[in-house]
Amino acid sequence: MWPQPHIPSRPAMSEETLQRKLAAAKKKIRNYQRRNSLGVLTGAKEKIKNGSNPETTTSGGCHSPGDVMEVCRQIQLERDTFAEILKGERATWQQRMNQMSERMCTLREEKECIMNRLQELETSLVELRKQMTELPSLAPPARPSEVEQQLQEEAEHLREELDSLAGQLQAQEHLEAASQRTSSYRPS
């Protein structure tokens, strides 16, 4: 039997199709060998009765060993071609997984930076509010000060960006988990 090639999670053709083709090819070889071995035995008996050598005879529906070898070579060539395609697909998926992993690391780092900046802004806002309450109030302002308003806008913008990054990170983690589940599946 030929060694079975490793099949990556997403081959050029579906795994079922590949397995069906492989099974069909094996069945054809078995049928061919069975037919030829029966034909050789039957033909050999007749040739022995008639006085000729069955080893050198290729008539009577029997194929020469060269024909059988050619069929085997063609099947091996097809198998090798599929194996190369599968290797290429596996390399492509491995590259995609590496890129996805790098992207997730980048998103985590960005999320951490934004969270730190948001914490700093919130601390600054609390300090400004505290300072404003400590100052004697001549007339209460009708609206927040310009600095306070800018800080609030920046804090809100960073919250939105943090939410967006958190969503992206979660989606990437789901994709990576799904990819790992499919890449860990190895048919026997």
Side-chain angles (χ1 to χ4, degrees):
M1 263 335 348
W2 298 300
Q4 296 294 320
H6 169 69
I7 300 174
S9 61
R10 189 172 176 195
M13 63 175 64
S14 76
E15 183 179 325
E16 281 183 31
T17 304
L18 185 60
Q19 291 297 329
R20 280 197 311 265
K21 284 188 172 191
L22 185 58
K26 286 179 180 179
K27 186 176 180 180
K28 284 180 183 179
I29 289 173
R30 281 194 302 272
N31 288 340
Y32 180 79
Q33 289 172 342
R34 194 177 311 125
R35 242 189 352 259
N36 286 335
S37 65
L38 290 176
V40 168
L41 290 177
T42 306
K45 288 178 184 176
E46 289 178 13
K47 298 297 178 182
I48 290 172
K49 287 179 185 176
N50 295 336
S52 64
N53 185 354
E55 299 285 327
T56 59
T57 305
T58 59
S59 62
C62 297
H63 294 281
S64 69
D67 291 343
V68 175
M69 293 306 293
E70 182 60 29
V71 169
C72 287
R73 276 193 291 273
Q74 288 174 352
I75 291 172
Q76 287 173 340
L77 179 63
E78 187 174 327
R79 181 202 62 198
D80 293 344
T81 302
F82 284 135
E84 288 300 315
I85 290 170
L86 293 175
K87 283 179 186 176
E89 288 289 319
R90 180 178 183 173
T92 300
W93 276 103
Q94 187 64 42
Q95 183 181 12
R96 282 183 166 175
M97 289 296 294
N98 290 342
Q99 289 172 345
M100 198 180 305
S101 181
E102 289 173 11
R103 177 70 176 139
M104 285 182 61
C105 287
T106 303
L107 287 173
R108 282 187 185 119
E109 290 171 2
E110 288 177 11
K111 179 183 175 184
E112 189 172 329
C113 287
I114 289 174
M115 288 177 69
N116 289 339
R117 179 69 178 138
L118 180 63
Q119 184 65 40
E120 290 172 8
L121 289 173
E122 286 176 344
T123 303
S124 295
L125 184 61
V126 167
E127 288 176 12
L128 280 174
R129 284 184 178 162
K130 184 178 178 183
Q131 287 175 3
M132 288 180 65
T133 58
E134 291 175 356
L135 290 176
S137 161
L138 299 175
R143 60 186 181 96
S145 72
E146 219 176 286
V147 172
E148 187 178 16
Q149 196 172 17
Q150 286 176 347
L151 285 173
Q152 285 176 339
E153 288 173 4
E154 190 172 347
E156 182 60 32
H157 173 72
L158 285 172
R159 276 191 196 100
E160 290 171 1
E161 195 172 331
L162 179 62
D163 290 342
S164 171
L165 283 172
Q168 288 178 11
L169 179 60
Q170 187 176 13
Q172 288 287 338
E173 287 172 345
H174 286 300
L175 280 173
E176 185 178 74
S179 294
Q180 287 176 349
R181 282 193 301 271
T182 56
S183 67
S184 67
Y185 171 72
R186 297 183 198 253
S188 48

